[in-house]
Amino acid sequence: MSKFIGRLGRLRSERGMTTAEYAVGTVAACGFGGILYKILTSEPVQGLLAGVIEKAFGVIGG
């Protein structure tokens, strides 16, 4: 019976560790998304993207 309790205790600690890792990953992904959003909505990058899209439509439209 003590072996079972020992295994159960290890499972619980590993579950908490996995949850903590997911939480850190989620926070990191949200931070990266926020930075990416700020970069993509800045005026210089928007101008660059608009230029690329205009060139692409110019090639497609002839």
Side-chain angles (χ1 to χ4, degrees):
M1 187 113 183
S2 64
K3 283 184 178 180
F4 179 74
I5 293 172
R7 288 183 186 163
L8 188 60
R10 273 186 270 156
L11 283 176
R12 285 185 182 155
S13 66
E14 288 177 11
R15 284 183 186 160
M17 197 68 134
T18 303
T19 303
E21 290 167 0
Y22 279 121
V24 169
T26 301
V27 169
C30 289
F32 182 72
I35 291 169
L36 191 60
Y37 175 78
K38 279 302 226 181
I39 290 171
L40 291 176
T41 56
S42 68
E43 285 190 36
V45 174
Q46 290 238 334
L48 264 149
L49 290 173
V52 168
I53 291 170
E54 286 175 12
K55 279 186 179 181
F57 280 127
V59 171
I60 292 171

